[in-house]
PDB file of all heavy atoms in Angstrom:
ATOM      1  N   ARG K  30     -51.631  94.138 -72.379  1.00  0.00           N
ATOM      2  CA  ARG K  30     -52.967  93.895 -72.921  1.00  0.00           C
ATOM      3  C   ARG K  30     -53.464  92.506 -72.538  1.00  0.00           C
ATOM      4  O   ARG K  30     -54.653  92.316 -72.262  1.00  0.00           O
ATOM      5  CB  ARG K  30     -52.967  94.066 -74.440  1.00  0.00           C
ATOM      6  CG  ARG K  30     -52.739  95.495 -74.907  1.00  0.00           C
ATOM      7  CD  ARG K  30     -52.776  95.600 -76.419  1.00  0.00           C
ATOM      8  NE  ARG K  30     -54.065  95.216 -76.968  1.00  0.00           N
ATOM      9  CZ  ARG K  30     -54.328  95.122 -78.274  1.00  0.00           C
ATOM     10  NH1 ARG K  30     -53.370  95.395 -79.154  1.00  0.00           N
ATOM     11  NH2 ARG K  30     -55.522  94.770 -78.698  1.00  0.00           N
ATOM     12  N   THR K  35     -57.179  89.030 -69.558  1.00  0.00           N
ATOM     13  CA  THR K  35     -57.300  87.701 -68.961  1.00  0.00           C
ATOM     14  C   THR K  35     -58.276  87.709 -67.789  1.00  0.00           C
ATOM     15  O   THR K  35     -58.166  88.563 -66.896  1.00  0.00           O
ATOM     16  CB  THR K  35     -55.925  87.199 -68.479  1.00  0.00           C
ATOM     17  OG1 THR K  35     -55.046  87.092 -69.605  1.00  0.00           O
ATOM     18  CG2 THR K  35     -56.041  85.839 -67.798  1.00  0.00           C
ATOM     19  N   SER K  57     -44.206  87.478 -76.252  1.00  0.00           N
ATOM     20  CA  SER K  57     -43.230  88.565 -76.189  1.00  0.00           C
ATOM     21  C   SER K  57     -41.860  88.054 -76.580  1.00  0.00           C
ATOM     22  O   SER K  57     -41.433  86.994 -76.090  1.00  0.00           O
ATOM     23  CB  SER K  57     -43.154  89.146 -74.776  1.00  0.00           C
ATOM     24  OG  SER K  57     -42.049  90.025 -74.657  1.00  0.00           O
ATOM     25  N   MET K  62     -35.388  85.721 -72.918  1.00  0.00           N
ATOM     26  CA  MET K  62     -34.224  86.078 -72.088  1.00  0.00           C
ATOM     27  C   MET K  62     -34.367  85.506 -70.680  1.00  0.00           C
ATOM     28  O   MET K  62     -33.357  85.256 -70.005  1.00  0.00           O
ATOM     29  CB  MET K  62     -34.054  87.602 -72.029  1.00  0.00           C
ATOM     30  CG  MET K  62     -35.141  88.352 -71.287  1.00  0.00           C
ATOM     31  SD  MET K  62     -34.890  90.147 -71.330  1.00  0.00           S
ATOM     32  CE  MET K  62     -36.422  90.694 -70.527  1.00  0.00           C
ATOM     33  N   LEU K  63     -35.602  85.311 -70.216  1.00  0.00           N
ATOM     34  CA  LEU K  63     -35.807  84.678 -68.921  1.00  0.00           C
ATOM     35  C   LEU K  63     -35.652  83.168 -69.020  1.00  0.00           C
ATOM     36  O   LEU K  63     -34.968  82.549 -68.211  1.00  0.00           O
ATOM     37  CB  LEU K  63     -37.195  85.019 -68.368  1.00  0.00           C
ATOM     38  CG  LEU K  63     -37.569  86.489 -68.247  1.00  0.00           C
ATOM     39  CD1 LEU K  63     -38.914  86.618 -67.531  1.00  0.00           C
ATOM     40  CD2 LEU K  63     -36.514  87.296 -67.536  1.00  0.00           C
ATOM     41  N   VAL K  70     -30.147  78.513 -66.369  1.00  0.00           N
ATOM     42  CA  VAL K  70     -30.117  77.208 -67.029  1.00  0.00           C
ATOM     43  C   VAL K  70     -28.981  76.346 -66.478  1.00  0.00           C
ATOM     44  O   VAL K  70     -29.153  75.146 -66.228  1.00  0.00           O
ATOM     45  CB  VAL K  70     -30.001  77.375 -68.555  1.00  0.00           C
ATOM     46  CG1 VAL K  70     -29.783  76.020 -69.233  1.00  0.00           C
ATOM     47  CG2 VAL K  70     -31.257  78.044 -69.113  1.00  0.00           C
ATOM     48  N   GLU K  74     -29.657  72.775 -64.629  1.00  0.00           N
ATOM     49  CA  GLU K  74     -29.055  71.531 -65.118  1.00  0.00           C
ATOM     50  C   GLU K  74     -28.246  70.852 -64.026  1.00  0.00           C
ATOM     51  O   GLU K  74     -28.279  69.626 -63.891  1.00  0.00           O
ATOM     52  CB  GLU K  74     -28.200  71.826 -66.344  1.00  0.00           C
ATOM     53  CG  GLU K  74     -29.021  72.203 -67.570  1.00  0.00           C
ATOM     54  CD  GLU K  74     -28.171  72.571 -68.766  1.00  0.00           C
ATOM     55  OE1 GLU K  74     -26.958  72.826 -68.599  1.00  0.00           O
ATOM     56  OE2 GLU K  74     -28.726  72.604 -69.880  1.00  0.00           O
ATOM     57  N   THR K  83     -31.839  65.112 -70.029  1.00  0.00           N
ATOM     58  CA  THR K  83     -32.057  66.495 -70.442  1.00  0.00           C
ATOM     59  C   THR K  83     -33.165  67.103 -69.598  1.00  0.00           C
ATOM     60  O   THR K  83     -34.050  66.399 -69.112  1.00  0.00           O
ATOM     61  CB  THR K  83     -32.469  66.588 -71.924  1.00  0.00           C
ATOM     62  OG1 THR K  83     -33.681  65.851 -72.126  1.00  0.00           O
ATOM     63  CG2 THR K  83     -31.382  66.022 -72.838  1.00  0.00           C
ATOM     64  N   LEU K  86     -38.584  72.689 -70.411  1.00  0.00           N
ATOM     65  CA  LEU K  86     -39.391  73.772 -69.857  1.00  0.00           C
ATOM     66  C   LEU K  86     -40.681  73.184 -69.308  1.00  0.00           C
ATOM     67  O   LEU K  86     -41.398  72.475 -70.011  1.00  0.00           O
ATOM     68  CB  LEU K  86     -39.693  74.800 -70.950  1.00  0.00           C
ATOM     69  CG  LEU K  86     -40.434  76.060 -70.496  1.00  0.00           C
ATOM     70  CD1 LEU K  86     -39.563  76.886 -69.557  1.00  0.00           C
ATOM     71  CD2 LEU K  86     -40.855  76.897 -71.707  1.00  0.00           C
ATOM     72  N   ALA K  89     -43.968  78.536 -68.568  1.00  0.00           N
ATOM     73  CA  ALA K  89     -43.604  79.954 -68.554  1.00  0.00           C
ATOM     74  C   ALA K  89     -44.926  80.690 -68.419  1.00  0.00           C
ATOM     75  O   ALA K  89     -45.701  80.763 -69.368  1.00  0.00           O
ATOM     76  CB  ALA K  89     -42.867  80.351 -69.828  1.00  0.00           C
ATOM     77  N   LEU K 120     -38.218  69.334 -60.228  1.00  0.00           N
ATOM     78  CA  LEU K 120     -38.211  70.601 -60.958  1.00  0.00           C
ATOM     79  C   LEU K 120     -37.537  71.691 -60.155  1.00  0.00           C
ATOM     80  O   LEU K 120     -37.318  71.572 -58.942  1.00  0.00           O
ATOM     81  CB  LEU K 120     -39.633  71.045 -61.322  1.00  0.00           C
ATOM     82  CG  LEU K 120     -40.515  71.631 -60.223  1.00  0.00           C
ATOM     83  CD1 LEU K 120     -41.613  72.493 -60.838  1.00  0.00           C
ATOM     84  CD2 LEU K 120     -41.153  70.528 -59.380  1.00  0.00           C
ATOM     85  N   GLY K 135     -47.929  90.891 -51.474  1.00  0.00           N
ATOM     86  CA  GLY K 135     -48.055  89.459 -51.734  1.00  0.00           C
ATOM     87  C   GLY K 135     -46.808  88.780 -52.230  1.00  0.00           C
ATOM     88  O   GLY K 135     -46.879  87.822 -53.010  1.00  0.00           O
ATOM     89  N   SER K 143     -37.391  73.209 -46.164  1.00  0.00           N
ATOM     90  CA  SER K 143     -38.579  72.345 -46.176  1.00  0.00           C
ATOM     91  C   SER K 143     -38.530  71.366 -47.337  1.00  0.00           C
ATOM     92  O   SER K 143     -39.521  70.708 -47.636  1.00  0.00           O
ATOM     93  CB  SER K 143     -39.840  73.206 -46.286  1.00  0.00           C
ATOM     94  OG  SER K 143     -39.827  73.961 -47.498  1.00  0.00           O
ATOM     95  N   GLU K 151     -45.345  65.677 -42.265  1.00  0.00           N
ATOM     96  CA  GLU K 151     -46.709  66.184 -42.361  1.00  0.00           C
ATOM     97  C   GLU K 151     -46.826  67.581 -41.766  1.00  0.00           C
ATOM     98  O   GLU K 151     -47.551  68.426 -42.281  1.00  0.00           O
ATOM     99  CB  GLU K 151     -47.683  65.235 -41.660  1.00  0.00           C
ATOM    100  CG  GLU K 151     -47.855  63.897 -42.374  1.00  0.00           C
ATOM    101  CD  GLU K 151     -48.949  63.054 -41.752  1.00  0.00           C
ATOM    102  OE1 GLU K 151     -49.650  63.574 -40.853  1.00  0.00           O
ATOM    103  OE2 GLU K 151     -49.093  61.890 -42.149  1.00  0.00           O
ATOM    104  N   GLY K 165     -35.782  92.108 -62.285  1.00  0.00           N
ATOM    105  CA  GLY K 165     -34.416  91.782 -62.662  1.00  0.00           C
ATOM    106  C   GLY K 165     -33.789  90.760 -61.743  1.00  0.00           C
ATOM    107  O   GLY K 165     -32.835  90.075 -62.122  1.00  0.00           O
ATOM    108  N   ARG K 187     -49.476  92.937 -57.871  1.00  0.00           N
ATOM    109  CA  ARG K 187     -48.157  92.308 -57.860  1.00  0.00           C
ATOM    110  C   ARG K 187     -48.047  91.390 -59.073  1.00  0.00           C
ATOM    111  O   ARG K 187     -48.779  90.414 -59.199  1.00  0.00           O
ATOM    112  CB  ARG K 187     -47.951  91.505 -56.583  1.00  0.00           C
ATOM    113  CG  ARG K 187     -46.505  91.046 -56.370  1.00  0.00           C
ATOM    114  CD  ARG K 187     -46.416  89.651 -55.815  1.00  0.00           C
ATOM    115  NE  ARG K 187     -46.591  88.654 -56.865  1.00  0.00           N
ATOM    116  CZ  ARG K 187     -46.486  87.344 -56.670  1.00  0.00           C
ATOM    117  NH1 ARG K 187     -46.258  86.863 -55.474  1.00  0.00           N
ATOM    118  NH2 ARG K 187     -46.635  86.509 -57.676  1.00  0.00           N
ATOM    119  N   CYS K 195     -38.228  71.101 -65.565  1.00  0.00           N
ATOM    120  CA  CYS K 195     -38.392  69.806 -64.925  1.00  0.00           C
ATOM    121  C   CYS K 195     -37.578  68.740 -65.645  1.00  0.00           C
ATOM    122  O   CYS K 195     -36.990  68.977 -66.708  1.00  0.00           O
ATOM    123  CB  CYS K 195     -39.868  69.412 -64.869  1.00  0.00           C
ATOM    124  SG  CYS K 195     -40.646  69.081 -66.464  1.00  0.00           S
ATOM    125  N   TYR K 227     -38.983  69.633 -78.260  1.00  0.00           N
ATOM    126  CA  TYR K 227     -38.709  69.040 -79.563  1.00  0.00           C
ATOM    127  C   TYR K 227     -37.366  68.325 -79.553  1.00  0.00           C
ATOM    128  O   TYR K 227     -36.441  68.630 -80.298  1.00  0.00           O
ATOM    129  CB  TYR K 227     -38.767  70.117 -80.658  1.00  0.00           C
ATOM    130  CG  TYR K 227     -40.185  70.571 -80.925  1.00  0.00           C
ATOM    131  CD1 TYR K 227     -40.762  71.590 -80.185  1.00  0.00           C
ATOM    132  CD2 TYR K 227     -40.977  69.935 -81.887  1.00  0.00           C
ATOM    133  CE1 TYR K 227     -42.072  71.989 -80.396  1.00  0.00           C
ATOM    134  CE2 TYR K 227     -42.292  70.323 -82.112  1.00  0.00           C
ATOM    135  CZ  TYR K 227     -42.830  71.347 -81.353  1.00  0.00           C
ATOM    136  OH  TYR K 227     -44.136  71.729 -81.568  1.00  0.00           O
ATOM    137  N   GLY K 239     -40.996  57.399 -84.097  1.00  0.00           N
ATOM    138  CA  GLY K 239     -39.774  56.695 -83.740  1.00  0.00           C
ATOM    139  C   GLY K 239     -38.496  57.496 -83.893  1.00  0.00           C
ATOM    140  O   GLY K 239     -37.404  56.934 -83.771  1.00  0.00           O
TER     141      GLY K 239
END
Side-chain angles (χ1 to χ4, degrees):
R30 292 181 62 185
T35 298
S57 169
M62 68 182 174
L63 305 187
V70 173
E74 290 177 344
T83 60
L86 185 66
L120 76 158
S143 61
E151 291 187 7
R187 191 220 80 176
C195 67
Y227 288 87

